[in-house]
Each structure stands twice: as C-alpha cells, then as structure tokens.
Amino acid sequence: MTSKLILIEGLPGSGKTTTAALVQELLTEKKISARLFLEGNLDHPADYDGVSCFEEHEFAELQSSFYKYKDFLNDHIIRRDGRCFLEYRKLQQKAGTEFPDELLKAVVQKDIYEIPLDDNRKLITDKWRKFAAEAADGQDTYIFDCCFIQNPVTVGMIKYGADRQTVTSYVTEIAAIIEPLHPLLIYVTQNDIDRSFNKAVRERPIEWSQGFFEYYTNQGYGAQHQYSGIEGTLQVLKARQQLEAEIYSSLTIAKHKADNSAFDNEGHKQRISEILNVCFNTTH
C-alpha cells in the first residue's frame, strides 16, 4: 500500500532537512505527487508555527489591554472550535512595524508551544486528525520534517520535563491518528552526537545556537538537571536520543533508520532510495 505520509525524524544536525528534500526528489522521479513541509512552514497542514490560541475571554482581555489595536486583532482572529487563533508570525510579516513589540510579547505568551502541555497536546492532535481526514481523500503523498516525534518530545521533555510515559503516549496518539495514511517513518541517525551537533553549531548563525542552548538548559529537563551551555545541551540531547530510541521501538508503523554519520550525500541518497523502493514496491 502506497504511503500518503512520510515522516522524517532525527536529532538536530543529523540531516533531516536534507533527507526530506531527497525523499521529495526521489518520489518525483517515480511520478508520485509529493508535498514537502519543512520545520517552520507557517502553512503546515498538521502543525502550528507562529500561532497563538486564546479562549474568548482571554482574547477579549488582550483587546482591552491593546485597545488601539482592537480592530486590527479582530480582523485577523480565526474562531474555530470555541477558541480564537491568531497567526501572529504571518501577521508580523504582513504588518511589519504596525505589529508593535509589546503586542507581540503578549501574543507569544499564548503560542501553542508555550501553553500547558495538556492544552498543547489537544490542539496538536486535533489538527493531526483534520489533516489525516483530508489527506486520506487526496492523491498526494506528504513529507513532514520533524513534527511527529521531535515536537512532542521537545515540548514534553525539553520544555516541561514531562515523564517518559507522557511523552511517548503523545507520539503514539499521533501514530494512531495517521494510521489510515499508511505512514512511513525514516529516522536519520548519527553515531557521534557531539560531532554532528557541533557541526550544526559551526554552520548555523550564532543566534540559533544561543537560543538552542537556552531552550535546552533553562527549563524542563535541562533545568531539572542543572545543565548549562553547550556541554549541558549535549547531555540533554543524549537523553533525548535515548527517549526517541524508545519511542521508535514502540511504534508499529512502517519505519526505517538511515545512518547519515558520514554526511555522504550520494551514499545517503542511495539508502533513502532503497527504503522508498521497498515501501512503494518499486525497483527503479
């Protein structure tokens, strides 16, 4: 059965984005319509990025606090399922300086990845359900970069320090939702986390690494263990690797690991091609 959803996962710096692009390229070569959604896509069909969620009374309080922008907010709020959603990153891009910093700070506090874990899980799984229902009726194969395992682990373990069972059940709930799409999970591995993460740190802007260190050590699991800096971040990453390995083993969906330790693009492409050939019952 042809998969309608391919999930690319792995630790930061493992080569997930490269792998996701390779999957789209290879599927296109097979004449399969493939839609790629990378991390940070503001139009992601199964995830939220740069979106805040308010109860009606909370949104009313926001409008009252920023009365000057009441009409602006009201014109852009999306009411759905009894809640108010504000796609603030899109608005920020559209409005520019008309979206003031003080309003942004207030809105970010209700970002879907800043609200309590139980609320986050409900909103995210609801969106996965809507996506799965729509994708099941379509002809496209979707490729998602790191929103299946990474996001629940990040918000659960890294941000809130949730226990392993809670985080694992979050992922397995999503797995059950997408089962009708016959998903394929490709988990990109590295045999040396220190090397691959330090490579990512060298190649990416310093703002990325500083933000990453702070996120991983100033809250949740990192704060519980009093970790700090790059060494502390690596300790959290190693704990995350162990948890993700346990989650991977528990999943019953089609799954394959792809070792990208050598960062050999041609060799990696061949390995991904072989995985796709098996899953899509093709040999070329």
Side-chain angles (χ1 to χ4, degrees):
M1 183 73 68
T2 298
S3 174
K4 287 190 174 182
L5 177 61
I6 300 178
L7 304 157
I8 313 299
E9 295 288 338
L11 295 185
S14 61
K16 297 187 301 296
T17 302
T18 298
T19 303
L22 284 175
V23 169
Q24 184 183 42
E25 178 185 337
L26 290 164
L27 290 184
T28 300
E29 290 175 2
K30 298 177 187 295
K31 310 301 182 187
I32 296 171
S33 177
R35 301 181 62 186
L36 172 61
F37 288 88
L38 298 176
E39 182 179 14
N41 190 311
L42 299 183
D43 293 310
H44 202 293
D47 193 25
Y48 291 102
D49 194 290
V51 180
S52 292
C53 180
F54 302 85
E55 301 292 343
E56 282 286 356
H57 73 275
E58 293 173 330
F59 182 62
E61 291 172 3
L62 180 71
Q63 288 181 300
S64 177
S65 298
F66 294 90
Y67 189 80
K68 178 181 176 181
Y69 301 97
K70 180 178 180 179
D71 291 339
F72 172 79
L73 290 168
N74 205 49
D75 287 345
H76 293 92
I77 203 71
I78 300 169
R79 287 181 167 84
R80 185 172 64 245
D81 301 329
R83 297 175 185 259
C84 300
F85 294 84
L86 188 67
E87 297 178 330
Y88 68 87
R89 288 297 180 204
K90 285 186 177 180
L91 278 182
Q92 193 179 23
Q93 291 178 358
K94 177 182 176 181
T97 56
E98 294 181 21
F99 202 117
D101 288 343
E102 62 271 21
L103 175 57
L104 179 62
K105 289 178 182 177
V107 168
V108 167
Q109 291 178 15
K110 297 297 291 183
D111 184 288
I112 289 172
Y113 281 97
E114 294 295 328
I115 61 178
L117 181 57
D118 287 345
D119 294 336
N120 164 273
R121 178 170 174 171
K122 183 180 187 313
L123 289 170
I124 295 296
T125 52
D126 282 350
K127 190 159 189 186
W128 275 101
R129 287 187 185 91
K130 290 182 175 67
F131 160 73
E134 293 171 1
D137 292 333
Q139 300 299 315
D140 295 335
T141 293
Y142 290 80
I143 306 162
F144 288 171
D145 169 34
C146 71
C147 66
F148 170 58
I149 294 178
Q150 175 175 285
N151 286 359
V153 170
T154 299
V155 72
M157 172 189 172
I158 310 302
K159 182 171 181 60
Y160 289 113
D163 61 74
R164 305 172 96 78
Q165 182 178 355
T166 297
V167 178
T168 299
S169 70
Y170 190 165
V171 179
T172 53
E173 181 178 1
I174 296 172
I177 291 169
I178 60 178
E179 187 176 357
L181 302 180
H182 306 287
L184 164 64
L185 168 61
I186 299 176
Y187 194 96
V188 186
T189 63
Q190 290 282 339
N191 59 22
D192 188 338
I193 299 177
D194 296 58
R195 173 176 172 267
S196 58
F197 183 66
N198 277 298
K199 180 176 182 292
V201 169
R202 289 193 306 271
E203 294 175 349
R204 300 181 187 185
I206 191 171
E207 294 79 11
W208 177 87
S209 56
Q210 289 176 340
F212 198 96
F213 300 161
E214 290 176 4
Y215 192 91
Y216 266 60
T217 61
N218 289 354
Q219 57 186 345
Y221 185 92
Q224 290 169 0
H225 291 78
Q226 299 182 324
Y227 290 139
S228 63
I230 187 169
E231 291 304 321
T233 301
L234 282 166
Q235 291 303 313
V236 180
L237 280 170
K238 289 172 182 176
R240 173 182 159 182
Q241 181 187 46
Q242 184 178 21
L243 176 56
E244 292 194 2
E246 293 173 7
I247 291 171
Y248 180 93
S249 296
S250 73
L251 293 169
T252 58
I253 63 175
K255 57 190 178 182
H256 292 267
K257 289 184 178 179
D259 187 347
N260 191 35
S261 300
F263 290 105
D264 170 18
N265 288 340
E266 284 305 312
H268 189 56
K269 182 177 181 179
Q270 181 60 36
R271 286 187 289 275
I272 299 303
S273 178
E274 291 168 359
I275 291 170
L276 295 178
N277 285 342
V278 170
C279 295
F280 284 83
N281 298 314
T282 61
T283 57
H284 55 82

